[in-house]
Amino acid sequence: DTGDPHPELYVAAEGALADVAGEADVLHIVLRFEMTALRVLGHLPALRGCAACGRNLELKGRLLFGQLAGGLLCPSCRPGQRQVVSVTAQAMKALQQFAAAESDLWRTAELDASTRGEIRGLMGQYICNLLSHRPRMHDYLGLLSGPRGSEWGGQGCP
């Protein structure tokens, strides 16, 4: 017993640190840890259906992601929402892999440079909005997505 109120999060942190010491892709490890932390703490964004009405959304083309709404938005629920960004279906499908609690598919997920940047930027913005401030590691995490990392990672934070 660790005495931690969130033992699953503690185990995920231990696993992430062990993975970083190995040969795994650091972006994959950090993204998996972020998604696990968001799920355990009750802040995982809606990645399959509309965050406002719950309607299932078809993941194709470009989709609406409401930073303040907590995930994907259908076109009907978009009006009046603030901080809404357009994301690719490819990025949403990748995030679903990283968020899946009982799956290791995230370890072998292939992300092209554009998707890496899009995901890092989206998650950076989302976490900044949840915290209401810019985390200390924000700039470093933006660099994980490659040359455009600081460009993506710096958006949306005070």
Side-chain angles (χ1 to χ4, degrees):
D1 180 28
T2 64
D4 193 294
H6 301 288
E8 186 179 355
L9 188 55
Y10 181 84
V11 169
E14 276 189 325
L17 290 172
D19 286 343
V20 166
E23 298 292 320
D25 183 324
V26 175
L27 174 70
H28 281 60
I29 296 165
V30 169
L31 185 55
R32 174 59 173 203
F33 178 75
E34 287 174 337
M35 298 305 278
T36 300
L38 290 170
R39 181 178 41 76
V40 168
L41 299 173
H43 293 289
L44 186 67
L47 302 173
R48 296 185 185 278
C50 179
C53 71
R55 186 175 93 199
N56 280 335
L57 299 173
E58 187 175 354
L59 296 184
K60 67 178 191 177
R62 296 202 68 85
L63 302 154
L64 301 169
F65 187 96
Q67 293 285 342
L68 301 178
L72 291 174
L73 290 169
C74 68
S76 300
C77 293
R78 165 52 177 111
Q81 297 285 344
R82 296 183 352 212
Q83 294 192 21
V84 176
V85 295
S86 173
V87 297
T88 62
Q90 182 178 356
M92 284 297 100
K93 289 173 185 176
L95 282 175
Q96 287 175 355
Q97 284 185 316
F98 284 89
E102 302 300 322
S103 173
D104 274 346
L105 289 177
W106 65 273
R107 291 185 180 279
T108 57
E110 292 192 27
L111 304 175
D112 61 37
S114 178
T115 303
R116 289 173 73 92
E118 182 178 12
I119 288 172
R120 187 68 256 145
L122 184 69
M123 292 311 300
Q125 290 175 7
Y126 186 69
I127 291 170
C128 282
N129 280 316
L130 285 173
L131 296 174
S132 298
H133 66 86
R134 184 183 183 103
R136 290 184 200 157
M137 293 290 294
H138 189 78
D139 290 334
Y140 173 73
L141 293 175
L143 294 175
L144 292 177
S145 62
R148 294 183 56 191
S150 57
E151 172 188 331
W152 280 102
Q155 295 177 353
C157 282

